[in-house]
Amino acid sequence: MSIWFTEELHPYYRKSLRVKHILADEQTQYQHLQLLETEFFGKTMVLDGIIQLTERDNMGYHEMIVHVPMLAVGQPKRVLIVGGGDGGSLQQVLRYPSVEEAAVCELDRRVVELSREHFAASFGDPWVDPRAKLLIRDAFGYLEENPGQFDVIISDTTDPIGMAERLFSDEFYKLMVRALAPGGAAATQCEQPFFDTELIKQIYKAAKGLVKNPAYYYANIPTYPGGGIGFMYVSNTPWTEGLKTPYPPGENKYFNPEVHKAAFALPEFFRKELYG
Ligand code: SPD
């Protein structure tokens, strides 16, 4: 008999993965955390019923959210990851020899602990790198305490539900931009053009009021709703600057120069909605 995990983030849309077995299932201080061994997609982390990452397709998400702002900055030294306790973004950030410190503000220690245990085959153990700094705390306070400090900020969050809703607010974007060093760039998890048009428009409007060159880009991730997810690039530096920067050592599985450029091409209905 097959066991299926079904995600029901939207009331009108569902998707399911076939589960081989359950590796972990616990209520942490903050959320319901499940680790599933699934067919085809491999180990899968689910938080409060929503798929966060799978072994098979997480590379598109992590390479895209990290390399676009990192390459645009050129030689980033101080990086902040908001959320990202699974270590996938951290692994990509640490590929850059210029990085001196990569701080990760993750609220839920169990996300870090279980990811270290179960995603070592995908991410290695980036936490042992002396440049990695884990802060088990809320990102708002840390951003407030560190104006002008970070060359790159990556907001690698869950969806805007419950405690994560604030991370999609105008207030968060203000604080994030304030925490960027001159010439800095940020990229944020910014949801799905079909399902979240109004939210993305609100975020773009907020970003446009804070920096000269915000832009939305997209990656194909089969296990996310609609088969993909977008990101908001937030900087005074145009994202195209990153096309001139050599890649860091290590192998990309998703990102390449063609994907980099194409990611910013938006379908007409959405381009009009967002950019007018
Ligand atoms: N709808 C799912 C969005 C999940 C985004 N967060 C992914 C975290 C991976 N580090």
Side-chain angles (χ1 to χ4, degrees), residues 27 47 55 78 82 85 96 99 107 123 125 129 140 146 149 180 184 205 207 225-226:
Q27 184 62 44
L47 294 177
E55 284 183 309
R78 283 195 79 188
V82 174
Y96 290 77
V99 169
L107 206 51
F123 305 145
D125 192 3
D129 189 307
F140 267 75
N146 285 285
Q149 287 304 307
L180 283 175
K205 196 171 157 210

mmCIF file with all atom_site columns, all heavy atoms in Angstrom, residues 27 47 55 78 82 85 96 99 107 123 125 129 140 146 149 180 184 205 207 225-226:
data_model
loop_
_atom_site.group_PDB
_atom_site.id
_atom_site.type_symbol
_atom_site.label_atom_id
_atom_site.label_alt_id
_atom_site.label_comp_id
_atom_site.label_asym_id
_atom_site.label_entity_id
_atom_site.label_seq_id
_atom_site.pdbx_PDB_ins_code
_atom_site.Cartn_x
_atom_site.Cartn_y
_atom_site.Cartn_z
_atom_site.occupancy
_atom_site.B_iso_or_equiv
_atom_site.pdbx_formal_charge
_atom_site.auth_seq_id
_atom_site.auth_comp_id
_atom_site.auth_asym_id
_atom_site.auth_atom_id
_atom_site.pdbx_PDB_model_num
ATOM 1   N N   . GLN A 1 27  ? 7.003  17.766 17.231  1.00 0.00 ? 27  GLN A N   1
ATOM 2   C CA  . GLN A 1 27  ? 6.545  19.126 17.461  1.00 0.00 ? 27  GLN A CA  1
ATOM 3   C C   . GLN A 1 27  ? 7.697  19.841 18.161  1.00 0.00 ? 27  GLN A C   1
ATOM 4   O O   . GLN A 1 27  ? 8.055  19.488 19.275  1.00 0.00 ? 27  GLN A O   1
ATOM 5   C CB  . GLN A 1 27  ? 5.274  19.097 18.336  1.00 0.00 ? 27  GLN A CB  1
ATOM 6   C CG  . GLN A 1 27  ? 4.626  20.438 18.569  1.00 0.00 ? 27  GLN A CG  1
ATOM 7   C CD  . GLN A 1 27  ? 4.125  21.113 17.280  1.00 0.00 ? 27  GLN A CD  1
ATOM 8   O OE1 . GLN A 1 27  ? 3.524  20.463 16.429  1.00 0.00 ? 27  GLN A OE1 1
ATOM 9   N NE2 . GLN A 1 27  ? 4.392  22.410 17.149  1.00 0.00 ? 27  GLN A NE2 1
ATOM 10  N N   . LEU A 1 47  ? 7.667  21.503 7.078   1.00 0.00 ? 47  LEU A N   1
ATOM 11  C CA  . LEU A 1 47  ? 7.391  22.285 8.286   1.00 0.00 ? 47  LEU A CA  1
ATOM 12  C C   . LEU A 1 47  ? 5.931  22.710 8.282   1.00 0.00 ? 47  LEU A C   1
ATOM 13  O O   . LEU A 1 47  ? 5.464  23.331 7.310   1.00 0.00 ? 47  LEU A O   1
ATOM 14  C CB  . LEU A 1 47  ? 8.289  23.529 8.343   1.00 0.00 ? 47  LEU A CB  1
ATOM 15  C CG  . LEU A 1 47  ? 9.795  23.274 8.512   1.00 0.00 ? 47  LEU A CG  1
ATOM 16  C CD1 . LEU A 1 47  ? 10.569 24.593 8.470   1.00 0.00 ? 47  LEU A CD1 1
ATOM 17  C CD2 . LEU A 1 47  ? 10.101 22.526 9.797   1.00 0.00 ? 47  LEU A CD2 1
ATOM 18  N N   . GLU A 1 55  ? 15.980 16.439 -1.314  1.00 0.00 ? 55  GLU A N   1
ATOM 19  C CA  . GLU A 1 55  ? 17.334 16.179 -1.809  1.00 0.00 ? 55  GLU A CA  1
ATOM 20  C C   . GLU A 1 55  ? 17.426 16.382 -3.315  1.00 0.00 ? 55  GLU A C   1
ATOM 21  O O   . GLU A 1 55  ? 18.423 16.847 -3.827  1.00 0.00 ? 55  GLU A O   1
ATOM 22  C CB  . GLU A 1 55  ? 17.737 14.737 -1.472  1.00 0.00 ? 55  GLU A CB  1
ATOM 23  C CG  . GLU A 1 55  ? 18.098 14.528 -0.017  1.00 0.00 ? 55  GLU A CG  1
ATOM 24  C CD  . GLU A 1 55  ? 18.562 13.111 0.258   1.00 0.00 ? 55  GLU A CD  1
ATOM 25  O OE1 . GLU A 1 55  ? 17.856 12.153 -0.135  1.00 0.00 ? 55  GLU A OE1 1
ATOM 26  O OE2 . GLU A 1 55  ? 19.617 12.950 0.897   1.00 0.00 ? 55  GLU A OE2 1
ATOM 27  N N   . ARG A 1 78  ? 30.854 40.005 4.490   1.00 0.00 ? 78  ARG A N   1
ATOM 28  C CA  . ARG A 1 78  ? 29.923 39.651 5.585   1.00 0.00 ? 78  ARG A CA  1
ATOM 29  C C   . ARG A 1 78  ? 28.552 39.324 5.004   1.00 0.00 ? 78  ARG A C   1
ATOM 30  O O   . ARG A 1 78  ? 27.976 40.126 4.261   1.00 0.00 ? 78  ARG A O   1
ATOM 31  C CB  . ARG A 1 78  ? 29.786 40.818 6.570   1.00 0.00 ? 78  ARG A CB  1
ATOM 32  C CG  . ARG A 1 78  ? 30.953 40.949 7.504   1.00 0.00 ? 78  ARG A CG  1
ATOM 33  C CD  . ARG A 1 78  ? 30.594 41.854 8.670   1.00 0.00 ? 78  ARG A CD  1
ATOM 34  N NE  . ARG A 1 78  ? 29.803 41.174 9.688   1.00 0.00 ? 78  ARG A NE  1
ATOM 35  C CZ  . ARG A 1 78  ? 29.232 41.790 10.719  1.00 0.00 ? 78  ARG A CZ  1
ATOM 36  N NH1 . ARG A 1 78  ? 29.326 43.090 10.847  1.00 0.00 ? 78  ARG A NH1 1
ATOM 37  N NH2 . ARG A 1 78  ? 28.562 41.103 11.634  1.00 0.00 ? 78  ARG A NH2 1
ATOM 38  N N   . VAL A 1 82  ? 18.837 34.892 6.804   1.00 0.00 ? 82  VAL A N   1
ATOM 39  C CA  . VAL A 1 82  ? 17.680 34.926 7.709   1.00 0.00 ? 82  VAL A CA  1
ATOM 40  C C   . VAL A 1 82  ? 16.923 33.613 7.511   1.00 0.00 ? 82  VAL A C   1
ATOM 41  O O   . VAL A 1 82  ? 16.525 33.293 6.385   1.00 0.00 ? 82  VAL A O   1
ATOM 42  C CB  . VAL A 1 82  ? 16.776 36.133 7.368   1.00 0.00 ? 82  VAL A CB  1
ATOM 43  C CG1 . VAL A 1 82  ? 15.502 36.098 8.198   1.00 0.00 ? 82  VAL A CG1 1
ATOM 44  C CG2 . VAL A 1 82  ? 17.535 37.438 7.580   1.00 0.00 ? 82  VAL A CG2 1
ATOM 45  N N   . GLY A 1 85  ? 18.051 27.457 8.371   1.00 0.00 ? 85  GLY A N   1
ATOM 46  C CA  . GLY A 1 85  ? 18.641 26.539 9.337   1.00 0.00 ? 85  GLY A CA  1
ATOM 47  C C   . GLY A 1 85  ? 18.995 25.178 8.768   1.00 0.00 ? 85  GLY A C   1
ATOM 48  O O   . GLY A 1 85  ? 19.757 24.424 9.374   1.00 0.00 ? 85  GLY A O   1
ATOM 49  N N   . TYR A 1 96  ? 32.409 31.029 -1.440  1.00 0.00 ? 96  TYR A N   1
ATOM 50  C CA  . TYR A 1 96  ? 33.106 32.259 -1.834  1.00 0.00 ? 96  TYR A CA  1
ATOM 51  C C   . TYR A 1 96  ? 34.304 32.506 -0.922  1.00 0.00 ? 96  TYR A C   1
ATOM 52  O O   . TYR A 1 96  ? 34.131 32.769 0.281   1.00 0.00 ? 96  TYR A O   1
ATOM 53  C CB  . TYR A 1 96  ? 32.157 33.461 -1.759  1.00 0.00 ? 96  TYR A CB  1
ATOM 54  C CG  . TYR A 1 96  ? 31.090 33.432 -2.836  1.00 0.00 ? 96  TYR A CG  1
ATOM 55  C CD1 . TYR A 1 96  ? 29.998 32.586 -2.718  1.00 0.00 ? 96  TYR A CD1 1
ATOM 56  C CD2 . TYR A 1 96  ? 31.206 34.217 -3.983  1.00 0.00 ? 96  TYR A CD2 1
ATOM 57  C CE1 . TYR A 1 96  ? 29.030 32.527 -3.710  1.00 0.00 ? 96  TYR A CE1 1
ATOM 58  C CE2 . TYR A 1 96  ? 30.237 34.168 -4.980  1.00 0.00 ? 96  TYR A CE2 1
ATOM 59  C CZ  . TYR A 1 96  ? 29.151 33.316 -4.833  1.00 0.00 ? 96  TYR A CZ  1
ATOM 60  O OH  . TYR A 1 96  ? 28.203 33.265 -5.818  1.00 0.00 ? 96  TYR A OH  1
ATOM 61  N N   . VAL A 1 99  ? 34.321 35.504 1.551   1.00 0.00 ? 99  VAL A N   1
ATOM 62  C CA  . VAL A 1 99  ? 33.450 35.569 2.739   1.00 0.00 ? 99  VAL A CA  1
ATOM 63  C C   . VAL A 1 99  ? 34.253 35.343 4.015   1.00 0.00 ? 99  VAL A C   1
ATOM 64  O O   . VAL A 1 99  ? 34.981 34.355 4.145   1.00 0.00 ? 99  VAL A O   1
ATOM 65  C CB  . VAL A 1 99  ? 32.295 34.523 2.641   1.00 0.00 ? 99  VAL A CB  1
ATOM 66  C CG1 . VAL A 1 99  ? 31.548 34.390 3.962   1.00 0.00 ? 99  VAL A CG1 1
ATOM 67  C CG2 . VAL A 1 99  ? 31.331 34.927 1.525   1.00 0.00 ? 99  VAL A CG2 1
ATOM 68  N N   . LEU A 1 107 ? 15.469 30.558 14.052  1.00 0.00 ? 107 LEU A N   1
ATOM 69  C CA  . LEU A 1 107 ? 14.742 30.525 15.315  1.00 0.00 ? 107 LEU A CA  1
ATOM 70  C C   . LEU A 1 107 ? 14.709 29.123 15.924  1.00 0.00 ? 107 LEU A C   1
ATOM 71  O O   . LEU A 1 107 ? 14.759 28.954 17.143  1.00 0.00 ? 107 LEU A O   1
ATOM 72  C CB  . LEU A 1 107 ? 13.304 31.010 15.030  1.00 0.00 ? 107 LEU A CB  1
ATOM 73  C CG  . LEU A 1 107 ? 12.507 31.634 16.133  1.00 0.00 ? 107 LEU A CG  1
ATOM 74  C CD1 . LEU A 1 107 ? 13.274 32.754 16.827  1.00 0.00 ? 107 LEU A CD1 1
ATOM 75  C CD2 . LEU A 1 107 ? 11.197 32.169 15.556  1.00 0.00 ? 107 LEU A CD2 1
ATOM 76  N N   . PHE A 1 123 ? 24.430 18.669 1.772   1.00 0.00 ? 123 PHE A N   1
ATOM 77  C CA  . PHE A 1 123 ? 25.057 19.930 2.190   1.00 0.00 ? 123 PHE A CA  1
ATOM 78  C C   . PHE A 1 123 ? 26.407 19.756 2.879   1.00 0.00 ? 123 PHE A C   1
ATOM 79  O O   . PHE A 1 123 ? 27.033 20.750 3.252   1.00 0.00 ? 123 PHE A O   1
ATOM 80  C CB  . PHE A 1 123 ? 24.119 20.698 3.147   1.00 0.00 ? 123 PHE A CB  1
ATOM 81  C CG  . PHE A 1 123 ? 22.742 20.949 2.600   1.00 0.00 ? 123 PHE A CG  1
ATOM 82  C CD1 . PHE A 1 123 ? 21.629 20.947 3.420   1.00 0.00 ? 123 PHE A CD1 1
ATOM 83  C CD2 . PHE A 1 123 ? 22.553 21.202 1.247   1.00 0.00 ? 123 PHE A CD2 1
ATOM 84  C CE1 . PHE A 1 123 ? 20.348 21.176 2.928   1.00 0.00 ? 123 PHE A CE1 1
ATOM 85  C CE2 . PHE A 1 123 ? 21.281 21.424 0.727   1.00 0.00 ? 123 PHE A CE2 1
ATOM 86  C CZ  . PHE A 1 123 ? 20.177 21.412 1.570   1.00 0.00 ? 123 PHE A CZ  1
ATOM 87  N N   . ASP A 1 125 ? 28.678 19.399 5.977   1.00 0.00 ? 125 ASP A N   1
ATOM 88  C CA  . ASP A 1 125 ? 28.372 19.987 7.281   1.00 0.00 ? 125 ASP A CA  1
ATOM 89  C C   . ASP A 1 125 ? 28.938 21.405 7.301   1.00 0.00 ? 125 ASP A C   1
ATOM 90  O O   . ASP A 1 125 ? 30.015 21.654 7.856   1.00 0.00 ? 125 ASP A O   1
ATOM 91  C CB  . ASP A 1 125 ? 28.961 19.131 8.420   1.00 0.00 ? 125 ASP A CB  1
ATOM 92  C CG  . ASP A 1 125 ? 28.394 19.569 9.773   1.00 0.00 ? 125 ASP A CG  1
ATOM 93  O OD1 . ASP A 1 125 ? 27.525 20.469 9.810   1.00 0.00 ? 125 ASP A OD1 1
ATOM 94  O OD2 . ASP A 1 125 ? 28.831 19.012 10.797  1.00 0.00 ? 125 ASP A OD2 1
ATOM 95  N N   . ASP A 1 129 ? 32.557 25.003 9.356   1.00 0.00 ? 129 ASP A N   1
ATOM 96  C CA  . ASP A 1 129 ? 33.418 26.041 8.781   1.00 0.00 ? 129 ASP A CA  1
ATOM 97  C C   . ASP A 1 129 ? 33.543 27.169 9.809   1.00 0.00 ? 129 ASP A C   1
ATOM 98  O O   . ASP A 1 129 ? 32.523 27.671 10.304  1.00 0.00 ? 129 ASP A O   1
ATOM 99  C CB  . ASP A 1 129 ? 32.783 26.553 7.480   1.00 0.00 ? 129 ASP A CB  1
ATOM 100 C CG  . ASP A 1 129 ? 33.708 27.472 6.693   1.00 0.00 ? 129 ASP A CG  1
ATOM 101 O OD1 . ASP A 1 129 ? 34.209 28.458 7.273   1.00 0.00 ? 129 ASP A OD1 1
ATOM 102 O OD2 . ASP A 1 129 ? 33.927 27.200 5.506   1.00 0.00 ? 129 ASP A OD2 1
ATOM 103 N N   . PHE A 1 140 ? 14.743 39.915 13.347  1.00 0.00 ? 140 PHE A N   1
ATOM 104 C CA  . PHE A 1 140 ? 14.407 41.346 13.452  1.00 0.00 ? 140 PHE A CA  1
ATOM 105 C C   . PHE A 1 140 ? 15.393 42.085 14.357  1.00 0.00 ? 140 PHE A C   1
ATOM 106 O O   . PHE A 1 140 ? 15.934 43.119 13.993  1.00 0.00 ? 140 PHE A O   1
ATOM 107 C CB  . PHE A 1 140 ? 12.977 41.521 13.967  1.00 0.00 ? 140 PHE A CB  1
ATOM 108 C CG  . PHE A 1 140 ? 11.974 41.638 12.861  1.00 0.00 ? 140 PHE A CG  1
ATOM 109 C CD1 . PHE A 1 140 ? 11.588 40.522 12.142  1.00 0.00 ? 140 PHE A CD1 1
ATOM 110 C CD2 . PHE A 1 140 ? 11.408 42.860 12.525  1.00 0.00 ? 140 PHE A CD2 1
ATOM 111 C CE1 . PHE A 1 140 ? 10.672 40.614 11.120  1.00 0.00 ? 140 PHE A CE1 1
ATOM 112 C CE2 . PHE A 1 140 ? 10.488 42.977 11.500  1.00 0.00 ? 140 PHE A CE2 1
ATOM 113 C CZ  . PHE A 1 140 ? 10.111 41.853 10.795  1.00 0.00 ? 140 PHE A CZ  1
ATOM 114 N N   . ASN A 1 146 ? 22.396 45.785 13.693  1.00 0.00 ? 146 ASN A N   1
ATOM 115 C CA  . ASN A 1 146 ? 23.523 45.769 12.759  1.00 0.00 ? 146 ASN A CA  1
ATOM 116 C C   . ASN A 1 146 ? 23.314 46.612 11.503  1.00 0.00 ? 146 ASN A C   1
ATOM 117 O O   . ASN A 1 146 ? 23.403 46.104 10.382  1.00 0.00 ? 146 ASN A O   1
ATOM 118 C CB  . ASN A 1 146 ? 23.816 44.314 12.350  1.00 0.00 ? 146 ASN A CB  1
ATOM 119 C CG  . ASN A 1 146 ? 24.503 43.557 13.459  1.00 0.00 ? 146 ASN A CG  1
ATOM 120 O OD1 . ASN A 1 146 ? 25.688 43.753 13.715  1.00 0.00 ? 146 ASN A OD1 1
ATOM 121 N ND2 . ASN A 1 146 ? 23.746 42.709 14.144  1.00 0.00 ? 146 ASN A ND2 1
ATOM 122 N N   . GLN A 1 149 ? 25.887 46.685 7.940   1.00 0.00 ? 149 GLN A N   1
ATOM 123 C CA  . GLN A 1 149 ? 26.931 45.680 8.225   1.00 0.00 ? 149 GLN A CA  1
ATOM 124 C C   . GLN A 1 149 ? 27.139 44.600 7.169   1.00 0.00 ? 149 GLN A C   1
ATOM 125 O O   . GLN A 1 149 ? 28.202 44.014 7.093   1.00 0.00 ? 149 GLN A O   1
ATOM 126 C CB  . GLN A 1 149 ? 26.597 44.967 9.546   1.00 0.00 ? 149 GLN A CB  1
ATOM 127 C CG  . GLN A 1 149 ? 26.809 45.806 10.766  1.00 0.00 ? 149 GLN A CG  1
ATOM 128 C CD  . GLN A 1 149 ? 28.233 46.337 10.847  1.00 0.00 ? 149 GLN A CD  1
ATOM 129 O OE1 . GLN A 1 149 ? 29.197 45.593 10.778  1.00 0.00 ? 149 GLN A OE1 1
ATOM 130 N NE2 . GLN A 1 149 ? 28.362 47.651 10.940  1.00 0.00 ? 149 GLN A NE2 1
ATOM 131 N N   . LEU A 1 180 ? 22.116 46.552 5.147   1.00 0.00 ? 180 LEU A N   1
ATOM 132 C CA  . LEU A 1 180 ? 23.079 46.311 4.062   1.00 0.00 ? 180 LEU A CA  1
ATOM 133 C C   . LEU A 1 180 ? 24.202 47.352 4.109   1.00 0.00 ? 180 LEU A C   1
ATOM 134 O O   . LEU A 1 180 ? 23.963 48.527 4.369   1.00 0.00 ? 180 LEU A O   1
ATOM 135 C CB  . LEU A 1 180 ? 22.387 46.422 2.695   1.00 0.00 ? 180 LEU A CB  1
ATOM 136 C CG  . LEU A 1 180 ? 21.512 45.254 2.232   1.00 0.00 ? 180 LEU A CG  1
ATOM 137 C CD1 . LEU A 1 180 ? 20.830 45.616 0.904   1.00 0.00 ? 180 LEU A CD1 1
ATOM 138 C CD2 . LEU A 1 180 ? 22.321 43.963 2.083   1.00 0.00 ? 180 LEU A CD2 1
ATOM 139 N N   . GLY A 1 184 ? 25.763 46.798 -1.113  1.00 0.00 ? 184 GLY A N   1
ATOM 140 C CA  . GLY A 1 184 ? 25.263 45.467 -0.758  1.00 0.00 ? 184 GLY A CA  1
ATOM 141 C C   . GLY A 1 184 ? 24.036 45.050 -1.567  1.00 0.00 ? 184 GLY A C   1
ATOM 142 O O   . GLY A 1 184 ? 23.422 45.857 -2.274  1.00 0.00 ? 184 GLY A O   1
ATOM 143 N N   . LYS A 1 205 ? 6.839  46.938 -4.455  1.00 0.00 ? 205 LYS A N   1
ATOM 144 C CA  . LYS A 1 205 ? 6.587  48.361 -4.211  1.00 0.00 ? 205 LYS A CA  1
ATOM 145 C C   . LYS A 1 205 ? 7.434  48.836 -3.018  1.00 0.00 ? 205 LYS A C   1
ATOM 146 O O   . LYS A 1 205 ? 8.066  49.898 -3.070  1.00 0.00 ? 205 LYS A O   1
ATOM 147 C CB  . LYS A 1 205 ? 5.098  48.561 -3.916  1.00 0.00 ? 205 LYS A CB  1
ATOM 148 C CG  . LYS A 1 205 ? 4.650  49.983 -4.019  1.00 0.00 ? 205 LYS A CG  1
ATOM 149 C CD  . LYS A 1 205 ? 3.146  50.081 -3.925  1.00 0.00 ? 205 LYS A CD  1
ATOM 150 C CE  . LYS A 1 205 ? 2.786  51.488 -3.464  1.00 0.00 ? 205 LYS A CE  1
ATOM 151 N NZ  . LYS A 1 205 ? 1.555  51.533 -2.700  1.00 0.00 ? 205 LYS A NZ  1
ATOM 152 N N   . ALA A 1 207 ? 10.203 47.473 -1.915  1.00 0.00 ? 207 ALA A N   1
ATOM 153 C CA  . ALA A 1 207 ? 11.629 47.423 -2.299  1.00 0.00 ? 207 ALA A CA  1
ATOM 154 C C   . ALA A 1 207 ? 11.980 48.611 -3.190  1.00 0.00 ? 207 ALA A C   1
ATOM 155 O O   . ALA A 1 207 ? 13.047 49.223 -3.056  1.00 0.00 ? 207 ALA A O   1
ATOM 156 C CB  . ALA A 1 207 ? 11.929 46.104 -3.004  1.00 0.00 ? 207 ALA A CB  1
ATOM 157 N N   . PRO A 1 225 ? 4.724  24.739 -4.799  1.00 0.00 ? 225 PRO A N   1
ATOM 158 C CA  . PRO A 1 225 ? 3.456  24.962 -5.496  1.00 0.00 ? 225 PRO A CA  1
ATOM 159 C C   . PRO A 1 225 ? 3.678  25.615 -6.866  1.00 0.00 ? 225 PRO A C   1
ATOM 160 O O   . PRO A 1 225 ? 4.475  26.552 -6.989  1.00 0.00 ? 225 PRO A O   1
ATOM 161 C CB  . PRO A 1 225 ? 2.706  25.919 -4.565  1.00 0.00 ? 225 PRO A CB  1
ATOM 162 C CG  . PRO A 1 225 ? 3.281  25.658 -3.212  1.00 0.00 ? 225 PRO A CG  1
ATOM 163 C CD  . PRO A 1 225 ? 4.728  25.323 -3.445  1.00 0.00 ? 225 PRO A CD  1
ATOM 164 N N   . GLY A 1 226 ? 2.987  25.085 -7.865  1.00 0.00 ? 226 GLY A N   1
ATOM 165 C CA  . GLY A 1 226 ? 3.123  25.639 -9.209  1.00 0.00 ? 226 GLY A CA  1
ATOM 166 C C   . GLY A 1 226 ? 4.427  25.223 -9.881  1.00 0.00 ? 226 GLY A C   1
ATOM 167 O O   . GLY A 1 226 ? 4.738  25.685 -10.974 1.00 0.00 ? 226 GLY A O   1
#
